[in-house]
Amino acid sequence: MRIEDYALIGDTQSAALIGRNGSIDWLCLPRFDSPSCFARLLGDESNGFWRMAAVGRDTAARRAYLEDSLVLATDWETPTGTVRVVDFMPVRSGNPDLVRMVEGLSGTVEMTTEIRIRFDYGRIVPWARRTGAHLHAVGGPDSVWIHSPVPLRGGDYRHEATFTVAAGERLPFVFTWHPSHQPQPPAIDPLAELGLTVDAWRHWVSRCGYRGPWRDAVVRSLITLKALTYSPTGGIVAAPTTSLPEHLGGVRNWDYRYCWLRDAAMTLDALLRAGYVEEADAWRVWLLRAIAGRPEDHQIMYGVAGERRLPEMTLDWLPGYENSAPVRIGNGAAGQFQLDVYGQVVNALYRARKRGMPRDDYTWSLLVKGAEFLEHNWDRPDEGLWEVRGPRRHFVHSKIMAWLAMDRMTRGAAELGRTGPFGRW
């Protein structure tokens, strides 16, 4: 399936990708950078997926997000009726959940579902057993409960069912993850969670300050950026996926489930333009924790909680998207030297303050230390914006961004009445 045929749902801690064929082909739990439960995106059916579709239909008739939300509605049309599948990840209060609610719109429709849980990026086939009307799967540190309104038949390391939905019926399927050493979590009320999730997204959207002619497109983009925010810490990931190739068959397949300072700065600029100052302040606090220490130890990226060690490795058992190998997790670029990051960070914080983010003495002291380091290292070669994996070079972009850092430092100091070696800078 083409990358552009996937839709995103998430709970601002993780995310799932759902194809037009009704299949969830990518889901990592409990965090964006956790090992996946479904990895068909980078392999095949044996690497895990969960499909929900009308019998005999390969592609849905239409799909769209419920207005101003990250709740996806997919309609399946057949000669006998129409069914809607509503997919969402509830606002998390404990363990992560994923809900697939099947709603009969007209007539009757025969539906099919098939689920293959594969932990650790499609490598671990869990031990599955029935507990009452529910399915429980365990493999290593991971445990999943599937609450199904219809019996799931097991066989060949998968579970499936065929069932009929009539107009007015609602059948909720709930997928809940938790650490395998912990007891079964309490079941959620999927219908109540649907209302709460829609309300939460619409409340967030109501704070948007954009009033231009492209409102729908802007709001949809902002929702997507918000979905990439790791809400417990304020970190912002570049993407919820790993190893999607720059071009089919290529080898430049990187793990983007981490927080690049450069990418986050650009995301913050977009959010700030729309009036989302709280997100900028949350990222600033995340940043201060992540980079705390010597300025020469600053990295270009961190984990969602500020982790610095992001060792890169290859998953040889996955063939890659459209056979674009290798599949990588972790990112060796975390150890690169990139001058432009200093300019991106200083400029992002400068713009955030100009748009209403409170001033902070601790932030200023860290920026001063960074400026002192940049003063003596701006003329070094680096890996640059393109993260070249070869000898360091001199890039014009890197030098311009170093200049930008000093420009914003001197401007900010003047506006705030700070002192510093402005003439030298």
Side-chain angles (χ1 to χ4, degrees), residues 260 296-302 308-312 330-338 380 382-383 387-389 392:
W260 269 256
E296 57 265 35
D297 295 331
H298 290 179
Q299 297 183 184
I300 65 167
M301 73 176 86
Y302 298 87
R308 301 190 181 194
R309 294 184 183 275
L310 310 175
E312 184 174 297
N331 202 306
Q336 289 187 352
F337 176 53
Q338 297 179 23
R380 288 170 52 191
D382 68 342
E383 277 87 6
E387 298 182 358
V388 294
R389 298 204 172 191
R392 291 178 176 176

Side-chain angles (χ1 to χ4, degrees), residues 13-188:
Q13 295 191 45
S14 186
L17 295 185
I18 306 173
R20 290 186 180 275
N21 62 351
S23 180
I24 299 176
D25 289 347
W26 183 253
L27 173 63
C28 298
L29 293 173
R31 305 193 331 179
F32 291 109
D33 56 351
S34 297
S36 65
C37 303
F38 305 129
R40 182 159 69 171
L41 180 71
L42 302 178
D44 55 30
E45 291 185 350
S46 66
N47 302 122
F49 69 97
W50 183 9
R51 187 163 189 250
M52 185 79 67
V55 171
R57 291 290 187 268
D58 294 328
T59 306
R62 57 188 169 273
R63 62 179 183 171
Y65 290 103
L66 300 188
E67 184 180 0
D68 291 350
S69 80
L70 201 62
V71 176
L72 181 69
T74 303
D75 291 349
W76 296 88
E77 292 184 347
T78 72
T80 60
T82 302
V83 154
R84 172 170 293 170
V85 178
V86 177
D87 291 306
F88 67 100
M89 295 179 71
V91 177
R92 197 181 301 188
S93 58
N95 296 292
D97 299 288
L98 188 153
V99 178
R100 313 201 75 178
M101 188 171 298
V102 184
E103 303 178 349
L105 300 183
S106 66
T108 60
V109 178
E110 190 176 21
M111 297 289 291
T112 181
T113 187
E114 180 180 351
I115 185 166
R116 297 191 186 189
I117 304 168
R118 298 293 184 267
F119 297 130
D120 194 25
Y121 301 104
R123 191 174 191 179
I124 296 178
V125 179
W127 180 265
R129 61 188 176 89
R130 294 186 185 281
T131 302
H134 312 302
L135 184 68
H136 183 209
V138 176
D142 299 294
S143 177
V144 163
W145 289 84
I146 300 174
H147 304 279
S148 171
V150 298
L152 296 171
R153 302 182 303 274
D156 193 26
Y157 304 108
R158 63 179 180 176
H159 288 80
E160 59 187 349
T162 301
F163 56 98
T164 300
V165 181
E169 279 191 291
R170 276 182 168 172
L171 299 179
F173 295 75
V174 181
F175 180 99
T176 302
W177 179 96
H178 70 101
S180 60
H181 66 276
Q182 293 183 358
Q184 178 184 359
I188 64 170

Side-chain angles (χ1 to χ4, degrees), residues 68 200-209 211 215 276:
D68 291 350
W201 281 108
R202 289 177 178 171
H203 175 73
W204 186 81
V205 169
S206 70
R207 295 165 42 206
C208 178
R211 297 292 184 268
R215 191 264 181 194
Y276 290 101

Side-chain angles (χ1 to χ4, degrees), residues 311-334:
E312 184 174 297
M313 64 185 71
T314 299
L315 307 184
D316 296 328
W317 61 89
L318 287 172
Y321 178 82
E322 295 289 337
N323 294 312
S324 300
V327 171
R328 297 182 175 95
I329 59 171
N331 202 306

